Amino acid sequence: MPTTIRDVARASGVHISTVSRAFSAPHLVNAETRTKVLETAEKLGYRPNRAARALITGRTHNIGLIVADIANPFFPPLIKAAEREARLRDYHIFVADSNEDVAVEEELVHALAKQVDGILLVSPRLANSVIEALSREAALVVVNRQVPGLPSVVMDVGHGARAAVDHLVGLGHKKIGFLGGPRGSWTNREIRKAVTSASQVRTGEVEIGVLGPNAPTEDGGIAAAEHVQRAGFTAVLAYNDLMAIGLIEGLDRLGVRVPGDVSVVGIDDIALSRLTRPRLTTVANPTAAAGRAAVDMLLQHGDDRRTTAQVSLATDLVIRDSTGPGPQGDADPGERGTPRAEA
Amino acid sequence: MPTTIRDVARASGVHISTVSRAFSAPHLVNAETRTKVLETAEKLGYRPNRAARALITGRTHNIGLIVADIANPFFPPLIKAAEREARLRDYHIFVADSNEDVAVEEELVHALAKQVDGILLVSPRLANSVIEALSREAALVVVNRQVPGLPSVVMDVGHGARAAVDHLVGLGHKKIGFLGGPRGSWTNREIRKAVTSASQVRTGEVEIGVLGPNAPTEDGGIAAAEHVQRAGFTAVLAYNDLMAIGLIEGLDRLGVRVPGDVSVVGIDDIALSRLTRPRLTTVANPTAAAGRAAVDMLLQHGDDRRTTAQVSLATDLVIRDSTGPGPQGDADPGERGTPRAEA
DNA sequence: GGAGCGACTGCAAAGGTTTGCAGTGGAACT
DNA sequence: AGTTCCACTGCAAACCTTTGCAGTCGCTCC
């Protein structure tokens, strides 16, 4: 029923191989013949059958994209950017949701491997060794994590976290908490490393305490409010914006005001963080750029196989209303870091 | 390089057709033979090649899902639910983003048609006639819209909108505005119809004014604040939560307080609406259920072809903090409708 | 004891496309 | 004029599965 290459061939009086070449190897066919073929193809509404093409070429022109939770506001901008970038190159994207489950994550790679040219593993929680093993089954690009020997795209959260600490120290805070994320998160480790090794900490200028692990959700933030209060932090950097927002809510319930009593900084800059009250000071992650970059890497290293480049994208501190002067209340907020201003 | 059915056949000493049947028609092969085949298949890590299977059976076991904007918080829960439902039945989902562009929307259907068993068109903006034409190219299920002759899943926003009006009238509001969404939106028409034909309007008890069309975004809401103020509404129902949140922001900038001066009701109940201040009173749309139902319809009507059922899912008013007493200030908030309470 | 049946398995075609190879015709070169 | 080359096109195999048909074998039934 659907038009095939054969129909086009018959209708334009050439052999099917000529039709095939008119599409996939234009320089091998006479210009005149080619336009005629393309015209009839157009007229008949012919679209090449990708399954057949994949069968013989081994390339599906599909990409798999595996995330832990589509509904987590961190991911959609990344998915959107990746999809767009892929489609510009005539690729389509399978989106799969592991539902935060490591076993599902692994199974998804198996399931997708045969029908894609490569897979984008976003924020995977699997062990390095497992990921490495999986990479023999399908070309992988890891996003938001680094795995030895595999191409990856990460955002330099360490830098952003240090900028956040600079900002807080500049505001006069001396007792800062890091509200940690889930166990096994690469990002979480990076932030913690960056924060606990910040120069101000080493000089004893400020003290940093780590709380966690916590669920990387609003509820996780709410639940942590009590611990934050008890620990006596005057400023907190949260693993992500959702937790930061939850924390603000939780503190509010305890009668602690943000930024009056405690300053809160998030990470990610999800769309939401501009809409809450107070608007959230946060480390902006270039998720869209990461999505594009990941697709780029996957498709280019399809050719020269085994590119293991590790791309790191810059992050940026966005100062809004959830951070304010520390206990002394007289510090100059602009003295450190190179924060981005925002209207 | 990858293991094929042939490798399994050789390794287990049977013909390839037996291996094939061991997977796709178990009752046709001896139980003993079958387990042996499955075992060797497992050992060799064999996964059937979907492209080859699709080529001969004509079924790809893939589904296309086209939305206007993945990053719009309305969609991810729907996508997530659809993906899950699909995978439970061994289907995979192509997600595509039309970027609010009608032409892209149409092109995506063409592009996907050949490599999927059906397409979920979510909130399409295309003309009925075009959609109908497209349905000859691929099995379609329309979500969030009704198209004559096509299966669809909608949420009964009309009911929710009326409940919202009831709620507002119960609070003593007499001059209510509807902040309309984008031109061409089916949902928008439904809400407007429901609202302007509400019984209280017909009896002259309240007056309803329509503003719009507006961009269905936060900015659209912000921009509309001035018009709302000028029109003198004491309560506003917005096309969606994003606009409602924007409107609250815009009103705030004008010194108008919500819910003190003006009450605002959203539609959708996106995750965000629980996190803003004030928390948003809104019509909860069962987007996850809609995603599941749409996949259901698509896959079941794959068999008995041409089911054109139109499913309508119930909506629900969720009362939070963005609505309060009207000008008189003495009305009983609970007197009308059957709103859902929330902690 | 021969026919018939049932359970199982093998054979081979088919599905739409790509691609190495061979063939054609004409132009350029010797 | 004969050779070589080039641009183009046709031929047919191959990719991996599924599936209708036919074959084998051991039973049951009359």
Side-chain angles (χ1 to χ4, degrees):
Chain A
M1 199 56 198
T3 23
T4 78
I5 207 176
R6 213 173 303 274
D7 301 321
V8 179
R10 200 174 307 127
S12 44
V14 299
H15 194 261
I16 57 165
S17 55
T18 303
V19 177
S20 172
R21 280 189 274 254
F23 282 97
S24 47
H27 58 285
L28 288 182
V29 40
N30 181 294
E32 218 170 306
T33 320
R34 176 159 175 266
T35 50
K36 192 178 62 191
V37 168
L38 293 187
E39 271 168 16
T40 40
E42 169 74 15
K43 193 160 53 198
L44 271 64
Y46 167 74
R47 302 258 168 175
N49 181 324
R50 297 222 180 195
R53 184 179 278 182
L55 188 54
I56 189 161
T57 63
R59 332 216 71 234
T60 62
H61 265 237
N62 293 332
I63 294 178
L65 173 56
I66 302 178
V67 300
D69 178 10
I70 297 174
N72 179 329
F74 175 78
F75 295 114
L78 191 153
I79 299 174
K80 185 181 170 96
E83 196 269 340
R84 187 180 154 76
E85 182 73 16
R87 192 142 38 77
L88 287 176
R89 303 160 176 240
D90 196 27
Y91 274 72
H92 292 272
I93 290 216
F94 283 114
V95 174
D97 185 317
S98 73
N99 216 19
E100 312 265 7
D101 184 327
V102 192
V104 175
E105 200 171 297
E106 186 173 358
E107 176 52 28
L108 281 174
V109 175
H110 290 309
L112 247 28
K114 274 278 187 28
Q115 51 185 332
V116 300
D117 294 343
I119 296 179
L120 268 36
L121 263 185
V122 186
S123 311
R125 299 278 171 74
L126 289 166
N128 273 0
S129 58
V130 178
I131 296 184
E132 215 168 332
L134 289 174
S135 77
R136 274 188 290 280
E137 208 161 323
L140 296 182
V141 170
V142 183
V143 181
N144 233 1
R145 170 159 170 182
Q146 288 178 332
V147 176
L150 287 187
S152 68
V153 177
V154 299
M155 311 185 238
D156 187 1
V157 277
H159 178 266
R162 273 190 300 272
V165 171
D166 285 349
H167 168 60
L168 293 172
V169 171
L171 286 166
H173 293 278
K174 298 215 171 338
K175 211 154 180 299
I176 302 177
F178 168 52
L179 199 54
R183 193 186 308 280
S185 156
W186 181 88
T187 304
N188 193 52
R189 277 198 304 280
E190 289 296 303
I191 302 171
R192 199 180 50 214
K193 266 194 292 186
V195 163
T196 55
S197 71
S199 58
Q200 301 94 336
V201 176
R202 290 199 311 261
T203 64
E205 188 181 351
V206 297
E207 185 185 328
I208 295 226
V210 177
L211 293 176
N214 302 280
T217 61
E218 194 212 355
D219 287 338
I222 294 179
E226 222 174 311
H227 301 115
V228 167
Q229 188 183 32
R230 201 173 311 141
F233 299 127
T234 67
V236 176
L237 172 64
Y239 168 74
N240 68 17
D241 286 350
L242 286 178
M243 290 179 68
I245 291 167
L247 175 61
I248 293 175
E249 166 78 17
L251 288 173
D252 189 73
R253 293 185 192 168
L254 297 172
V256 179
R257 311 304 302 226
V258 174
D261 302 323
V262 170
S263 287
V264 173
V265 180
I267 293 181
D268 285 351
D269 193 25
I270 58 178
L272 168 52
S273 58
R274 276 199 321 279
L275 301 177
T276 54
R277 294 302 169 75
R279 299 178 314 148
L280 195 63
T281 293
T282 186
V283 176
N285 269 336
T287 49
R292 280 191 297 271
V295 170
D296 262 9
M297 293 188 66
L298 190 62
L299 296 189
Q300 85 181 36
H301 104 140
D303 301 341
D304 51 3
R305 208 68 184 165
R306 285 291 147 222
T307 309
T308 59
Q310 315 235 108
V311 171
S312 179
L313 303 171
T315 60
D316 222 4
L317 182 66
V318 183
I319 299 177
R320 299 204 183 89
D321 314 327
S322 66
T323 48
Q328 288 76 7
D330 53 8
D332 168 12
E335 83 178 293
R336 290 168 194 256
T338 55
R340 177 168 91 193
E342 182 169 283
Chain B
M1 197 60 197
T3 22
T4 80
I5 206 175
R6 210 172 306 273
D7 301 321
V8 179
R10 201 174 306 128
S12 44
V14 299
H15 194 262
I16 58 165
S17 55
T18 302
V19 178
S20 172
R21 279 189 275 254
F23 282 98
S24 47
H27 59 283
L28 287 182
V29 41
N30 181 293
E32 218 170 307
T33 321
R34 175 159 174 267
T35 50
K36 192 179 61 191
V37 167
L38 292 187
E39 270 167 18
T40 40
E42 169 74 15
K43 193 161 52 200
L44 272 62
Y46 167 74
R47 301 260 168 174
N49 181 323
R50 296 223 180 195
R53 185 179 277 182
L55 189 55
I56 188 161
T57 63
R59 332 216 70 233
T60 61
H61 264 238
N62 294 331
I63 294 178
L65 174 55
I66 302 178
V67 300
D69 177 11
I70 297 174
N72 179 329
F74 174 78
F75 295 113
L78 191 153
I79 300 174
K80 185 180 171 96
E83 196 269 342
R84 186 180 155 76
E85 182 73 16
R87 192 142 40 78
L88 287 176
R89 304 162 175 237
D90 197 26
Y91 274 72
H92 292 270
I93 290 216
F94 283 114
V95 174
D97 185 317
S98 73
N99 217 18
E100 311 266 7
D101 184 327
V102 192
V104 175
E105 199 170 297
E106 186 173 358
E107 176 52 29
L108 281 174
V109 176
H110 290 309
L112 248 28
K114 275 277 187 29
Q115 50 184 332
V116 300
D117 295 343
I119 297 179
L120 268 35
L121 263 184
V122 186
S123 310
R125 299 278 172 75
L126 290 165
N128 272 1
S129 58
V130 178
I131 296 183
E132 215 167 332
L134 289 174
S135 78
R136 274 187 290 278
E137 207 160 323
L140 296 182
V141 170
V142 183
V143 181
N144 232 1
R145 169 158 169 182
Q146 288 180 330
V147 176
L150 287 187
S152 67
V153 177
V154 299
M155 311 185 239
D156 188 2
V157 278
H159 178 266
R162 273 190 299 272
V165 171
D166 285 348
H167 169 62
L168 293 172
V169 171
L171 286 167
H173 293 278
K174 298 216 170 339
K175 212 159 180 297
I176 302 177
F178 168 53
L179 199 54
R183 191 187 310 279
S185 155
W186 180 88
T187 304
N188 193 52
R189 276 198 304 279
E190 289 296 302
I191 302 170
R192 199 181 50 214
K193 266 194 292 187
V195 163
T196 55
S197 71
S199 58
Q200 300 94 336
V201 177
R202 290 200 312 262
T203 64
E205 188 181 350
V206 296
E207 185 186 329
I208 294 225
V210 177
L211 293 176
N214 302 280
T217 61
E218 194 211 356
D219 288 337
I222 294 179
E226 222 175 310
H227 301 115
V228 166
Q229 188 183 31
R230 202 173 311 142
F233 300 126
T234 67
V236 176
L237 171 64
Y239 168 74
N240 67 15
D241 286 350
L242 285 179
M243 290 181 67
I245 291 166
L247 175 62
I248 294 175
E249 166 79 17
L251 288 173
D252 189 75
R253 292 184 191 169
L254 297 173
V256 179
R257 312 303 304 227
V258 174
D261 302 323
V262 170
S263 288
V264 173
V265 180
I267 293 180
D268 286 350
D269 194 24
I270 58 179
L272 168 52
S273 58
R274 274 198 322 278
L275 302 177
T276 55
R277 293 303 169 75
R279 299 178 315 148
L280 196 63
T281 293
T282 186
V283 176
N285 270 336
T287 49
R292 282 192 295 273
V295 170
D296 262 8
M297 293 188 66
L298 190 61
L299 296 189
Q300 84 179 37
H301 104 141
D303 301 341
D304 51 3
R305 209 66 184 166
R306 285 292 145 219
T307 310
T308 59
Q310 317 234 108
V311 171
S312 179
L313 303 172
T315 60
D316 222 4
L317 182 66
V318 183
I319 299 178
R320 299 205 182 90
D321 315 327
S322 66
T323 48
Q328 290 78 5
D330 52 9
D332 169 12
E335 85 179 292
R336 290 168 193 258
T338 55
R340 175 168 91 193
E342 181 169 286

